[in-house]
Amino acid sequence: MATDIKDTVLPVEATAVMGLLPARPRLLALGEPTHGEDALLDLRNELFRQLVEQEGYRTIAIESDCMLGLVVDDYVTTGTGTLEEVMEHGFSHGWGASAANRELVRWMRAHNDGRPAPERLRFAGFDGPLEITGAASPRQALTALHGCLAARVDADLLPCTAETLDRLLGADDRWTNPAAMTDPAESVGQSADARELRLLADDLVALLDEQTPHIIAATSRDDWDRARLCGRTATGLLRYHFWMADTSPSRMTRLVGLRDSMMAANLLALAERDPALIHAHNGHLQRDKSSMRMGGRPVEWWGAGALVNSRLGDGYAFVATALGTIRHQGVDTPPTDTVEGHLYALPEDRCVVDAHRLAADLGDTQPAPRVSPYFGYAPLDPAHLAGYDGIVYVKDVPQS
């Protein structure tokens, strides 16, 4: 079997990845099966540099808070703030502590220095302001959207005043209460104030849509894009909080689905701009339905990649990353009958594999699913091979 797989092996280079695709996609998604390993992020950085220099890509988007990502984008495009401030305040999920993320931001700023705006690289977070322990207050997004409109349209067109929003929002800590993730009764998402805020947010987004030509003429397309991002985030967060207060058995399925729906909306907005490299967990980017166990129950939902793929077709491509070992996390040599085991037999330390050829070579021999001893690592599902455009394989992941 290893002899057949060798025919599909390519170097880990942008040209090799692009050669697997029918055309340059608007969104090229690179997945990873585990978080927090700088070796994988270094590889991502390397591919992004090549995509910029060889394929005309201008944006990178990562699985981080979309509102915080604006801080990073301001820095890499115009030099606003300092690198230290950006790494501390521009990332969620602890990603700012990553040396590889720091190098990405430093390189992007250096690349942009002295270049005209149309040639500058852009950074985006495409996750909602969500953590596993809860969701942010909608205050930042909602007040920013209101402020954009209040400065540029007649006051009598606004559905409410800033003071009304402030009163209905109340203290931020009632929205961010971590107890609400496990106890719906602790959530304010279905309170009278929250219900009114959902209506007002909807009206503000509608007003922004109605005033699009004026807003772009009075500011810029970038400012209008940011206002749209604030609108998507405000309505998405209010919807997420509403379902945090739900008591039905489908509560968690609804929440994980809403998160990926927010991700997909942000990715589709990026696709309207320059071609972008997207980096996140394989589970968010795959074309097949995503699944996991939460609280002992199986949960299935359509991830961001599946949602975007259904809209963009060939404009979306997905390359999964597969790993051999992560020994510092107890993940040792993979069994030979798994996808990772077949790839581990290759002499290359890292390579790009044509997933369609690999699936054809395997034929009716369905590889066994690999079982991970480490909760933070999700092996490839062999049933999903046909949904990958390629696989980036890393044989051994060293400790960061």
Side-chain angles (χ1 to χ4, degrees), residues 78-89:
T78 66
T80 302
T82 67
L83 181 57
E84 296 299 332
E85 292 167 346
V86 167
M87 299 313 297
E88 183 176 355
H89 302 296

Side-chain angles (χ1 to χ4, degrees), residues 306-326:
L307 297 172
V308 170
N309 180 69
S310 67
R311 295 280 293 275
L312 296 185
D314 285 347
Y316 179 76
F318 171 50
V319 177
T321 297
L323 307 178
T325 71
I326 325 172

Side-chain angles (χ1 to χ4, degrees), residues 60 88 104 160 177 194 197 226 245 248 300 313 326 347 382 391 396:
I60 186 167
E88 183 176 355
L104 172 68
C160 66
N177 177 11
L197 282 168
R226 288 197 172 200
S248 75
E300 291 189 343
I326 325 172
I391 298 172
D396 299 294

Side-chain angles (χ1 to χ4, degrees), residues 48-63:
F48 181 56
R49 285 192 291 269
Q50 294 173 10
L51 288 167
V52 167
E53 294 163 0
Q54 301 167 18
E55 303 291 341
Y57 278 68
R58 288 289 176 268
T59 298
I60 186 167
I62 74 168
E63 187 184 334

Side-chain angles (χ1 to χ4, degrees), residues 37 39-40 323-328 394-399:
E37 300 296 342
L40 303 185
L323 307 178
T325 71
I326 325 172
R327 298 193 193 279
H328 54 279
V394 179
K395 193 164 195 173
D396 299 294
V397 178
Q399 189 161 7

Side-chain angles (χ1 to χ4, degrees), residues 78-336:
T78 66
T80 302
T82 67
L83 181 57
E84 296 299 332
E85 292 167 346
V86 167
M87 299 313 297
E88 183 176 355
H89 302 296
F91 294 84
S92 61
H93 303 85
W95 301 155
S98 160
N101 281 337
R102 183 186 186 90
E103 175 55 23
L104 172 68
V105 174
R106 187 209 61 76
W107 177 79
M108 291 177 71
R109 177 68 206 125
H111 182 278
N112 285 341
D113 193 27
R115 292 179 186 266
E119 296 179 14
R120 292 174 192 159
L121 305 181
R122 304 292 299 272
F123 178 94
F126 71 93
D127 201 353
L130 307 168
E131 296 281 358
I132 193 66
T133 54
S137 164
R139 176 183 299 279
Q140 180 188 5
L142 201 50
T143 55
L145 173 61
H146 186 279
C148 171
L149 291 166
R152 295 168 183 90
V153 304
D154 294 337
D156 57 1
L157 290 176
L158 295 168
C160 66
T161 64
E163 290 74 21
T164 297
L165 284 184
D166 187 61
R167 174 178 58 81
L168 292 171
L169 286 162
D172 284 346
D173 58 7
R174 69 176 186 150
W175 297 94
T176 57
N177 177 11
M181 182 51 74
T182 53
D183 183 359
E186 293 287 334
S187 171
V188 298
Q190 294 188 19
S191 65
D193 287 350
R195 290 174 186 271
E196 187 171 353
L197 282 168
R198 287 187 78 184
L199 294 174
L200 292 173
D202 184 67
D203 282 340
L204 287 168
V205 170
L207 181 59
L208 177 67
D209 287 343
E210 295 162 19
Q211 296 291 320
T212 292
H214 171 61
I215 298 295
I216 292 177
T219 57
S220 67
R221 187 176 180 91
D222 272 355
D223 287 337
W224 175 71
D225 278 339
R226 288 197 172 200
R228 290 171 69 208
L229 171 62
C230 291
R232 291 193 303 274
T233 304
T235 54
L237 277 173
L238 286 164
R239 190 177 299 116
Y240 193 90
H241 279 288
F242 179 90
W243 287 102
M244 282 183 74
D246 180 49
T247 57
S248 75
S250 62
R251 176 178 181 263
M252 290 309 301
T253 301
R254 198 64 184 260
L255 290 177
V256 293
L258 283 172
R259 180 189 177 193
D260 272 82
S261 180
M262 291 175 71
M263 287 183 171
N266 288 332
L267 291 177
L268 288 169
L270 290 175
E272 297 173 11
R273 204 164 68 188
D274 302 309
L277 175 67
I278 312 303
H279 190 254
H281 197 281
N282 286 332
H284 290 302
L285 301 179
Q286 66 190 31
R287 290 183 171 94
D288 292 276
K289 210 166 192 180
S290 301
S291 63
M292 65 188 299
R293 296 190 70 83
M294 301 187 73
R297 297 170 58 95
V299 178
E300 291 189 343
W301 73 101
W302 291 109
L307 297 172
V308 170
N309 180 69
S310 67
R311 295 280 293 275
L312 296 185
D314 285 347
Y316 179 76
F318 171 50
V319 177
T321 297
L323 307 178
T325 71
I326 325 172
R327 298 193 193 279
H328 54 279
Q329 298 290 7
V331 180
D332 292 318
T333 305
T336 56

Side-chain angles (χ1 to χ4, degrees), residues 339-364:
V339 172
E340 289 86 354
H342 287 302
L343 295 172
Y344 200 77
L346 295 168
E348 287 83 1
D349 290 328
R350 60 184 211 174
C351 58
V352 170
V353 176
D354 183 333
H356 297 152
R357 283 280 307 280
L358 175 59
D361 288 344
L362 291 171
D364 296 331

